[in-house]
Coordinates of all heavy atoms in Angstrom, one line a residue:
Chain J
M35 N -9.8 16.5 -13.3 CA -8.6 15.8 -13.9 C -9.0 14.7 -14.8 O -8.4 14.5 -15.9 CB -7.7 15.3 -12.8 CG -6.6 16.3 -12.5 SD -5.9 16.9 -14.0 CE -4.8 18.1 -13.3
Q36 N -10.0 13.9 -14.3 CA -10.3 12.7 -15.1 C -10.8 13.1 -16.5 O -10.5 12.6 -17.5 CB -11.4 11.9 -14.4 CG -11.3 10.5 -14.6 CD -12.4 9.8 -14.0 OE1 -12.9 10.1 -12.9 NE2 -12.8 8.7 -14.6
L37 N -11.6 14.2 -16.5 CA -12.2 14.6 -17.7 C -11.1 15.2 -18.6 O -11.1 14.9 -19.8 CB -13.2 15.8 -17.4 CG -14.4 15.9 -18.4 CD1 -15.2 14.6 -18.3 CD2 -15.3 17.0 -18.0
E38 N -10.2 16.0 -18.0 CA -9.1 16.5 -18.8 C -8.3 15.4 -19.4 O -7.9 15.5 -20.6 CB -8.2 17.4 -17.9 CG -8.9 18.6 -17.2 CD -9.0 19.9 -18.1 OE1 -8.5 19.7 -19.3 OE2 -9.5 20.9 -17.7
I39 N -8.0 14.4 -18.6 CA -7.2 13.3 -19.1 C -7.9 12.6 -20.3 O -7.3 12.3 -21.3 CB -6.9 12.3 -18.0 CG1 -5.9 12.9 -17.0 CG2 -6.3 11.0 -18.5 CD1 -5.6 12.0 -15.8
E40 N -9.1 12.3 -20.0 CA -9.9 11.7 -21.1 C -9.8 12.4 -22.4 O -9.5 11.9 -23.5 CB -11.4 11.6 -20.7 CG -11.9 10.3 -20.2 CD -13.4 10.3 -19.9 OE1 -14.1 10.3 -20.9 OE2 -13.7 10.4 -18.7
A41 N -10.1 13.8 -22.3 CA -10.0 14.7 -23.5 C -8.6 14.7 -24.1 O -8.5 14.6 -25.3 CB -10.4 16.0 -23.1
Y42 N -7.6 14.8 -23.2 CA -6.2 14.8 -23.8 C -5.7 13.6 -24.4 O -5.1 13.6 -25.5 CB -5.3 15.2 -22.5 CG -3.9 15.4 -23.0 CD1 -3.5 16.6 -23.6 CD2 -2.9 14.5 -22.8 CE1 -2.2 16.8 -24.0 CE2 -1.6 14.7 -23.1 CZ -1.2 15.9 -23.7 OH 0.0 16.1 -24.1
M43 N -6.1 12.4 -23.8 CA -5.7 11.2 -24.4 C -6.4 10.9 -25.8 O -5.9 10.1 -26.5 CB -5.9 10.0 -23.5 CG -5.0 10.1 -22.2 SD -4.8 8.6 -21.3 CE -6.4 8.4 -20.7
K44 N -7.6 11.4 -26.0 CA -8.2 11.3 -27.3 C -7.4 11.9 -28.3 O -7.5 11.6 -29.5 CB -9.6 12.0 -27.2 CG -10.7 11.2 -26.7 CD -12.1 11.6 -27.2 CE -13.2 10.9 -26.5 NZ -13.9 11.8 -25.6
R45 N -6.7 13.0 -27.9 CA -6.0 13.7 -29.0 C -4.5 13.4 -29.0 O -3.8 13.8 -30.0 CB -6.1 15.3 -28.7 CG -7.5 15.8 -28.7 CD -7.6 17.2 -28.0 NE -8.9 17.8 -28.3 CZ -10.0 17.4 -27.7 NH1 -10.1 16.4 -27.0 NH2 -11.1 18.1 -28.0
N46 N -4.0 12.8 -28.1 CA -2.5 12.5 -28.0 C -2.2 11.0 -27.6 O -2.9 10.5 -26.8 CB -1.9 13.4 -26.9 CG -2.0 14.9 -27.3 OD1 -1.3 15.4 -28.0 ND2 -3.0 15.5 -26.7
P47 N -1.1 10.5 -28.2 CA -0.9 9.1 -28.0 C -0.1 8.9 -26.7 O 0.9 8.2 -26.6 CB -0.1 8.7 -29.2 CG 0.7 10.0 -29.5 CD -0.2 11.1 -29.2
V48 N -0.5 9.6 -25.6 CA 0.1 9.4 -24.4 C -0.8 8.8 -23.3 O -2.0 9.0 -23.4 CB 0.6 10.9 -23.8 CG1 1.5 10.7 -22.6 CG2 1.2 11.7 -24.8
Q49 N -0.2 8.1 -22.4 CA -1.0 7.5 -21.3 C -0.9 8.3 -20.0 O 0.2 8.7 -19.7 CB -0.6 6.1 -21.1 CG -1.1 5.1 -22.1 CD -2.6 5.0 -22.1 OE1 -3.2 4.8 -21.0 NE2 -3.1 5.2 -23.2
L50 N -2.0 8.6 -19.5 CA -2.0 9.3 -18.2 C -2.9 8.5 -17.2 O -3.9 7.9 -17.7 CB -2.5 10.7 -18.3 CG -1.8 11.7 -19.1 CD1 -2.6 12.1 -20.3 CD2 -1.4 12.9 -18.3
N51 N -2.5 8.5 -16.0 CA -3.5 7.9 -15.1 C -3.6 8.8 -13.8 O -2.7 9.6 -13.5 CB -3.1 6.5 -14.7 CG -2.1 6.4 -13.6 OD1 -1.1 7.1 -13.6 ND2 -2.4 5.6 -12.6
V52 N -4.8 8.7 -13.2 CA -5.0 9.6 -12.0 C -5.5 8.8 -10.9 O -6.3 7.8 -11.0 CB -5.9 10.8 -12.4 CG1 -7.3 10.3 -12.7 CG2 -5.9 11.8 -11.3

Side-chain angles (χ1 to χ4, degrees):
Chain J
M35 264 313 175
Q36 211 185 328
L37 212 61
E38 301 273 3
I39 289 179
E40 259 184 74
Y42 185 74
M43 290 199 294
K44 272 205 192 104
R45 298 162 168 71
N46 298 276
V48 192
Q49 281 298 303
L50 297 111
N51 84 309
V52 66

